[in-house]
Amino acid sequence: MERFDRIWVNVQLATMVPGAPDRGEIRDGALAVRDGRIAWLGPRAQLPGEAVEIHDGAGGWILPGLIDCHTHLVFAGERCGEFEERLEGVPYAEIARRGGGIRRTVDGTRAASEEELHRLARARLHRLVDEGVTTVEIKSGYGLDIETELRMLRVARALGRDRDVSVATSFLGAHAFPAELDRAAYVDLVCGPMLDLVAEEGLADAVDAFCETIAFSPEETERVFQAAKAKGLPVKLHADQISDSGGAALAARYGALSCDHVEYTSEAGVRAMAAAGTVAVLLPGAFYLLRERQRPPVELLRRFAVPMAVATDANPGSSPLLSPLLAMNLACVLFGLTPYEALLGMTAHAARALGLAADRGTLEVGKRADFCLWRISRPAELCYWMGFGSGLLAERVVAGRPSAPAGPALA
Ligand code: DI6
Ligand code: FE
């Protein structure tokens, strides 16, 4: 008879193992954890051991903890004025050209202390956690100078230490050009001293860039990727969001973990991603808020079996979205994903987009015991409600430990 630390019974399981029969669903299941890992799962009748601590799931569903694999949670200030301007007819790219957009948030973020950035980001992170997020990716990119880029990444790292949520960081120095430097000088700074310090302090798990007509050219992006490669850091890319700049194919050539947005990605780009094993991260919040028309090529991504992830892209400009469940709902309604695809997109495929697929993202023996118990009648219900959010979450478990509910206790 095996001994476990804790066992959950009276539950249904959705393992979210891609390609598993019956969508990985196990009725009247049980799940056992030991030393922070999943030690056993299957039909309850076959449970091979016992534990002192037994949790009764009251018939709810257990899924892997949600993984939000693309956010810009660390920043100061808001850009509601631009939201108003856009609705009065000024395009997003035009606002950026006028020096608004990302640069406005750069001004606010440079002026904010580390403590202030931490406080602001933590409040946002709580909203994600309240809806079942157990791993979140956080990017820099609102500093555009050495000091502020490092400050953002330190805050992101600290957020991963200070409560029971894991944080993966991405260095996004190549997000926009700062007002004080010319393009070439800034690319030199990003690829040289900035990345040196980021790597030296171990502040980044990956390197990201924004390859777009209004941002970094393919050549500039390639320089950033070469510098990342030289440091042994994996890359990802904001690619083909408002035009087809060949970003997806470029990222694939560097074996990118993910290409994000991909609204304008061509068939050649999709083929390249498939060959490289690059994940397509769909960001329906930005598509929705910017009232875009061009949808990502979901049919092509399916045809070439490119894994699709879904993320909030939480940021003050294009996606002030702090609900992973609403992100899945939007991915279904706006992009035509099935609820099952959207759920894979915030679990197994999101883990893969962060290079963490061997450790989390599915319910499998040996993986980190990060999971959520939901009061729902079927997994698709997580993609169905709009704004019910934390009302569906019965329990959140991180590394095998039931985690305190968010709110005042964590303040
Ligand atoms: N794409 C995005 O969705 C965010 N950054 C990027 O490169 C938006 C950033 C912003 O507008 O503040
Ligand atoms: Fe983004």
Coordinates of all heavy atoms in Angstrom, one line a residue, residues 318-378:
S318 N -2.8 47.6 -25.3 CA -3.6 46.8 -26.2 C -4.5 45.8 -25.6 O -5.4 45.2 -26.2 CB -2.8 46.2 -27.3 OG -1.9 45.3 -26.7
S319 N -4.2 45.4 -24.3 CA -5.0 44.3 -23.7 C -5.0 44.4 -22.2 O -4.4 43.7 -21.5 CB -4.3 43.0 -24.1 OG -5.2 41.9 -23.7
P320 N -5.8 45.4 -21.7 CA -5.9 45.5 -20.2 C -6.8 44.4 -19.7 O -7.9 44.6 -19.0 CB -6.5 46.9 -20.0 CG -7.3 47.2 -21.3 CD -6.6 46.4 -22.4
L321 N -6.4 43.2 -19.9 CA -7.2 42.0 -19.6 C -6.6 41.2 -18.5 O -5.4 40.7 -18.6 CB -7.3 41.1 -20.9 CG -8.0 39.7 -20.7 CD1 -9.4 39.8 -20.3 CD2 -7.9 39.0 -22.1
L322 N -7.3 41.0 -17.4 CA -6.7 40.3 -16.2 C -7.5 39.1 -15.9 O -7.6 38.7 -14.7 CB -6.6 41.3 -15.1 CG -5.5 42.4 -15.3 CD1 -5.7 43.5 -14.3 CD2 -4.1 41.9 -15.3
S323 N -8.1 38.5 -16.9 CA -8.9 37.3 -16.6 C -8.5 36.2 -17.6 O -8.8 36.3 -18.8 CB -10.4 37.6 -16.8 OG -11.2 36.4 -16.9
P324 N -7.9 35.2 -17.1 CA -7.5 34.1 -18.0 C -8.8 33.4 -18.6 O -8.8 32.9 -19.7 CB -6.7 33.1 -17.2 CG -7.1 33.5 -15.8 CD -7.4 34.9 -15.8
L325 N -9.8 33.3 -17.8 CA -11.0 32.6 -18.3 C -11.7 33.4 -19.4 O -12.1 32.8 -20.4 CB -12.0 32.4 -17.1 CG -11.6 31.6 -15.9 CD1 -12.7 31.3 -15.0 CD2 -10.9 30.3 -16.4
L326 N -11.7 34.7 -19.3 CA -12.2 35.5 -20.4 C -11.3 35.4 -21.6 O -11.8 35.5 -22.7 CB -12.4 37.0 -19.9 CG -13.1 37.9 -20.9 CD1 -14.5 37.4 -21.3 CD2 -13.3 39.3 -20.2
A327 N -10.0 35.3 -21.4 CA -9.1 35.1 -22.6 C -9.5 33.9 -23.3 O -9.6 33.9 -24.6 CB -7.7 35.1 -22.1
M328 N -9.9 32.8 -22.6 CA -10.3 31.6 -23.3 C -11.6 31.8 -24.0 O -11.8 31.3 -25.1 CB -10.3 30.4 -22.3 CG -9.0 30.0 -21.8 SD -9.0 28.4 -21.0 CE -9.8 28.8 -19.4
N329 N -12.5 32.5 -23.3 CA -13.8 32.7 -23.9 C -13.7 33.5 -25.2 O -14.2 33.2 -26.3 CB -14.7 33.5 -22.9 CG -16.0 34.0 -23.5 OD1 -16.1 35.0 -24.2 ND2 -17.1 33.2 -23.4
L330 N -12.8 34.5 -25.2 CA -12.6 35.3 -26.4 C -11.9 34.5 -27.5 O -12.2 34.7 -28.7 CB -11.7 36.5 -26.1 CG -12.3 37.6 -25.1 CD1 -11.2 38.6 -24.7 CD2 -13.5 38.3 -25.7
A331 N -11.0 33.6 -27.1 CA -10.3 32.8 -28.1 C -11.4 31.9 -28.8 O -11.3 31.6 -30.0 CB -9.2 31.9 -27.5
C332 N -12.3 31.4 -28.1 CA -13.4 30.6 -28.6 C -14.3 31.4 -29.6 O -14.5 31.1 -30.7 CB -14.2 29.9 -27.6 SG -13.3 28.7 -26.6
V333 N -14.8 32.5 -29.0 CA -15.8 33.3 -29.7 C -15.2 34.1 -30.9 O -15.8 34.1 -32.0 CB -16.6 34.2 -28.8 CG1 -17.5 35.1 -29.5 CG2 -17.3 33.4 -27.7
L334 N -14.1 34.7 -30.7 CA -13.5 35.5 -31.8 C -12.7 34.8 -32.8 O -12.6 35.1 -33.9 CB -12.7 36.7 -31.1 CG -13.4 37.6 -30.2 CD1 -12.5 38.6 -29.6 CD2 -14.5 38.3 -31.0
F335 N -11.9 33.7 -32.3 CA -11.0 33.0 -33.2 C -11.5 31.6 -33.6 O -10.9 31.0 -34.4 CB -9.6 32.8 -32.5 CG -8.9 34.1 -32.2 CD1 -7.8 34.1 -31.4 CD2 -9.2 35.3 -32.9 CE1 -7.1 35.3 -31.1 CE2 -8.5 36.5 -32.6 CZ -7.4 36.5 -31.8
G336 N -12.6 31.2 -33.0 CA -13.2 29.9 -33.3 C -12.5 28.7 -32.8 O -12.7 27.6 -33.3
L337 N -11.7 28.9 -31.7 CA -11.2 27.7 -31.0 C -12.3 26.9 -30.4 O -13.3 27.5 -29.9 CB -10.1 28.1 -30.0 CG -8.7 28.1 -30.4 CD1 -8.4 29.1 -31.5 CD2 -7.8 28.4 -29.2
T338 N -12.2 25.6 -30.3 CA -13.1 24.9 -29.5 C -12.7 25.1 -28.0 O -11.5 25.4 -27.7 CB -13.0 23.4 -29.8 OG1 -11.7 22.9 -29.4 CG2 -13.2 23.1 -31.3
P339 N -13.6 24.9 -27.1 CA -13.3 25.1 -25.7 C -12.1 24.1 -25.3 O -11.2 24.5 -24.5 CB -14.6 24.7 -24.9 CG -15.6 25.1 -25.9 CD -15.1 24.8 -27.3
Y340 N -12.1 22.9 -25.8 CA -11.0 22.0 -25.5 C -9.7 22.6 -26.0 O -8.7 22.6 -25.3 CB -11.3 20.7 -26.2 CG -10.2 19.6 -26.0 CD1 -9.7 19.3 -24.7 CD2 -9.6 19.0 -27.1 CE1 -8.7 18.3 -24.6 CE2 -8.6 18.1 -27.0 CZ -8.2 17.7 -25.7 OH -7.2 16.8 -25.5
E341 N -9.6 23.2 -27.2 CA -8.4 23.8 -27.7 C -8.0 25.0 -26.8 O -6.8 25.2 -26.6 CB -8.6 24.3 -29.2 CG -8.6 23.2 -30.2 CD -9.0 23.8 -31.6 OE1 -9.8 24.7 -31.7 OE2 -8.4 23.3 -32.6
A342 N -9.0 25.8 -26.4 CA -8.7 26.9 -25.6 C -8.1 26.4 -24.2 O -7.1 27.0 -23.7 CB -9.9 27.8 -25.3
L343 N -8.6 25.4 -23.7 CA -8.1 24.8 -22.4 C -6.7 24.3 -22.6 O -5.8 24.5 -21.7 CB -9.1 23.8 -21.9 CG -10.4 24.3 -21.3 CD1 -11.4 23.2 -21.1 CD2 -10.1 25.0 -19.9
L344 N -6.5 23.6 -23.7 CA -5.1 23.1 -24.0 C -4.1 24.3 -24.0 O -3.0 24.3 -23.6 CB -5.0 22.4 -25.3 CG -5.5 20.9 -25.3 CD1 -5.5 20.4 -26.7 CD2 -4.6 20.0 -24.4
G345 N -4.7 25.4 -24.6 CA -3.9 26.7 -24.8 C -3.6 27.4 -23.5 O -2.6 28.2 -23.5
M346 N -4.3 27.1 -22.4 CA -3.9 27.7 -21.2 C -3.3 26.7 -20.2 O -3.1 27.0 -19.0 CB -5.0 28.4 -20.5 CG -5.2 29.8 -21.1 SD -5.7 31.0 -19.9 CE -4.9 32.5 -20.5
T347 N -3.0 25.5 -20.7 CA -2.4 24.5 -19.9 C -1.2 23.9 -20.6 O -0.1 24.4 -20.6 CB -3.4 23.4 -19.5 OG1 -4.0 22.8 -20.7 CG2 -4.5 24.0 -18.6
A348 N -1.4 22.7 -21.3 CA -0.3 22.0 -21.9 C 0.5 22.9 -22.9 O 1.7 22.9 -22.9 CB -0.8 20.7 -22.6
H349 N -0.2 23.6 -23.8 CA 0.5 24.3 -24.8 C 1.1 25.6 -24.3 O 2.2 26.0 -24.8 CB -0.4 24.6 -26.0 CG -0.9 23.3 -26.7 ND1 -1.9 23.3 -27.6 CD2 -0.3 22.1 -26.7 CE1 -2.1 22.1 -28.1 NE2 -1.1 21.3 -27.5
A350 N 0.5 26.1 -23.2 CA 1.2 27.3 -22.6 C 2.5 26.9 -21.9 O 3.5 27.6 -22.0 CB 0.2 27.9 -21.6
A351 N 2.5 25.7 -21.3 CA 3.7 25.2 -20.7 C 4.8 25.1 -21.7 O 5.9 25.5 -21.5 CB 3.4 23.9 -20.0
R352 N 4.4 24.6 -22.8 CA 5.4 24.4 -23.9 C 5.9 25.7 -24.4 O 7.1 25.8 -24.8 CB 4.7 23.6 -25.0 CG 5.6 23.1 -26.0 CD 5.0 22.0 -26.9 NE 5.7 22.1 -28.2 CZ 5.4 21.3 -29.2 NH1 4.4 20.4 -29.1 NH2 6.1 21.4 -30.3
A353 N 5.0 26.7 -24.5 CA 5.5 28.0 -25.0 C 6.5 28.7 -24.0 O 7.2 29.6 -24.4 CB 4.2 29.0 -25.1
L354 N 6.6 28.1 -22.8 CA 7.5 28.6 -21.8 C 8.7 27.6 -21.7 O 9.6 27.8 -20.8 CB 6.9 28.9 -20.5 CG 5.8 29.9 -20.5 CD1 5.1 30.0 -19.1 CD2 6.3 31.3 -20.9
G355 N 8.7 26.6 -22.4 CA 9.8 25.6 -22.3 C 9.6 24.8 -21.0 O 10.6 24.2 -20.5
L356 N 8.4 24.7 -20.5 CA 8.2 24.0 -19.2 C 7.4 22.8 -19.3 O 6.8 22.2 -18.3 CB 7.5 25.0 -18.2 CG 8.3 26.2 -17.7 CD1 7.5 27.1 -16.9 CD2 9.5 25.7 -16.9
A357 N 7.2 22.3 -20.5 CA 6.3 21.2 -20.8 C 6.7 19.9 -20.0 O 5.8 19.1 -19.7 CB 6.1 20.9 -22.3
A358 N 7.9 19.7 -19.8 CA 8.3 18.5 -19.1 C 7.9 18.5 -17.6 O 7.9 17.5 -16.9 CB 9.8 18.3 -19.2
D359 N 7.7 19.7 -17.1 CA 7.5 19.9 -15.6 C 6.0 20.2 -15.3 O 5.6 20.0 -14.1 CB 8.3 21.1 -15.2 CG 8.4 21.2 -13.7 OD1 8.8 20.3 -13.0 OD2 7.9 22.3 -13.2
R360 N 5.2 20.8 -16.2 CA 3.9 21.2 -15.8 C 3.0 21.3 -17.0 O 3.4 21.1 -18.1 CB 3.9 22.5 -15.0 CG 4.5 23.6 -15.7 CD 4.8 24.8 -14.8 NE 6.0 24.5 -14.0 CZ 6.5 25.4 -13.1 NH1 6.0 26.5 -12.9 NH2 7.6 25.0 -12.4
G361 N 1.7 21.7 -16.8 CA 0.8 21.9 -17.9 C -0.2 20.8 -18.1 O -1.2 21.0 -18.8
T362 N 0.1 19.6 -17.5 CA -0.8 18.5 -17.7 C -0.9 17.8 -16.3 O 0.0 18.0 -15.5 CB -0.3 17.5 -18.7 OG1 0.9 16.9 -18.3 CG2 -0.2 18.1 -20.1
L363 N -1.9 17.0 -16.1 CA -1.9 16.1 -15.0 C -1.3 14.8 -15.4 O -1.9 14.0 -16.1 CB -3.4 15.9 -14.5 CG -4.2 17.1 -14.2 CD1 -5.7 16.6 -13.8 CD2 -3.6 17.9 -13.1
E364 N -0.1 14.6 -14.9 CA 0.7 13.3 -15.2 C 1.6 13.0 -14.1 O 2.1 13.9 -13.5 CB 1.5 13.5 -16.5 CG 0.7 13.5 -17.8 CD 1.6 13.7 -19.0 OE1 2.0 14.8 -19.3 OE2 2.0 12.7 -19.6
V365 N 1.8 11.8 -13.8 CA 2.6 11.4 -12.7 C 4.0 11.9 -12.9 O 4.6 11.9 -14.0 CB 2.7 9.8 -12.6 CG1 3.8 9.4 -11.6 CG2 1.3 9.3 -12.2
G366 N 4.6 12.5 -11.9 CA 5.9 13.1 -11.9 C 5.9 14.6 -12.2 O 6.9 15.3 -11.8
K367 N 4.8 15.1 -12.7 CA 4.8 16.6 -12.9 C 4.5 17.3 -11.6 O 3.9 16.7 -10.7 CB 3.7 16.9 -14.0 CG 4.2 16.5 -15.4 CD 3.6 17.4 -16.4 CE 4.3 17.0 -17.8 NZ 3.6 17.6 -18.9
R368 N 4.9 18.6 -11.6 CA 4.6 19.4 -10.5 C 3.1 19.4 -10.2 O 2.3 19.5 -11.1 CB 5.0 20.8 -10.8 CG 5.5 21.7 -9.7 CD 5.9 23.0 -10.2 NE 5.1 24.1 -9.6 CZ 5.6 24.8 -8.6 NH1 6.9 24.7 -8.2 NH2 4.8 25.7 -8.0
A369 N 2.7 19.3 -8.9 CA 1.3 19.2 -8.6 C 0.7 20.5 -8.4 O 0.3 21.0 -7.4 CB 1.1 18.4 -7.3
D370 N 0.6 21.2 -9.6 CA -0.1 22.5 -9.7 C -1.5 22.2 -10.4 O -1.5 21.9 -11.6 CB 0.7 23.5 -10.6 CG 1.9 24.0 -10.0 OD1 2.2 23.7 -8.8 OD2 2.6 24.8 -10.6
F371 N -2.5 22.3 -9.6 CA -3.8 22.1 -10.3 C -5.0 22.9 -9.5 O -4.7 23.4 -8.5 CB -4.1 20.6 -10.3 CG -4.1 19.9 -9.0 CD1 -5.2 19.8 -8.2 CD2 -3.0 19.2 -8.6 CE1 -5.2 19.2 -7.0 CE2 -2.9 18.5 -7.4 CZ -4.0 18.5 -6.5
C372 N -6.1 22.9 -10.2 CA -7.3 23.6 -9.6 C -8.5 22.7 -9.6 O -8.7 21.9 -10.6 CB -7.6 24.9 -10.5 SG -6.3 26.1 -10.4
L373 N -9.3 22.8 -8.6 CA -10.5 22.1 -8.5 C -11.6 23.2 -8.8 O -11.7 24.2 -8.2 CB -10.7 21.6 -7.1 CG -12.1 20.9 -6.8 CD1 -12.3 19.6 -7.6 CD2 -12.2 20.7 -5.3
W374 N -12.4 22.9 -9.8 CA -13.5 23.8 -10.3 C -14.9 23.3 -10.0 O -15.1 22.1 -10.2 CB -13.3 24.1 -11.8 CG -12.0 24.6 -12.2 CD1 -10.9 23.9 -12.6 CD2 -11.6 26.0 -12.3 NE1 -9.9 24.8 -13.0 CE2 -10.3 26.1 -12.8 CE3 -12.3 27.2 -12.0 CZ2 -9.6 27.3 -13.0 CZ3 -11.6 28.4 -12.2 CH2 -10.3 28.4 -12.7
R375 N -15.8 24.2 -9.6 CA -17.2 23.9 -9.5 C -17.9 24.0 -10.8 O -18.5 25.0 -11.1 CB -17.9 24.8 -8.5 CG -17.4 24.7 -7.1 CD -18.3 25.7 -6.2 NE -17.5 26.0 -5.0 CZ -16.8 27.1 -4.9 NH1 -16.7 28.0 -5.8 NH2 -16.1 27.3 -3.8
I376 N -17.7 23.0 -11.7 CA -18.2 23.1 -13.0 C -18.7 21.7 -13.4 O -18.3 20.7 -12.8 CB -17.2 23.5 -14.1 CG1 -15.9 22.7 -13.9 CG2 -16.8 25.0 -13.9 CD1 -14.8 23.0 -15.0
S377 N -19.6 21.7 -14.4 CA -20.2 20.4 -14.7 C -19.4 19.7 -15.9 O -19.5 18.5 -16.1 CB -21.6 20.5 -15.1 OG -21.7 21.3 -16.2
R378 N -18.6 20.5 -16.6 CA -17.7 20.0 -17.7 C -16.6 21.0 -17.9 O -16.9 22.2 -17.7 CB -18.5 19.7 -18.9 CG -19.3 20.9 -19.4 CD -20.4 20.6 -20.3 NE -19.9 20.1 -21.6 CZ -20.5 19.3 -22.4 NH1 -21.7 18.8 -22.1 NH2 -20.0 18.9 -23.6

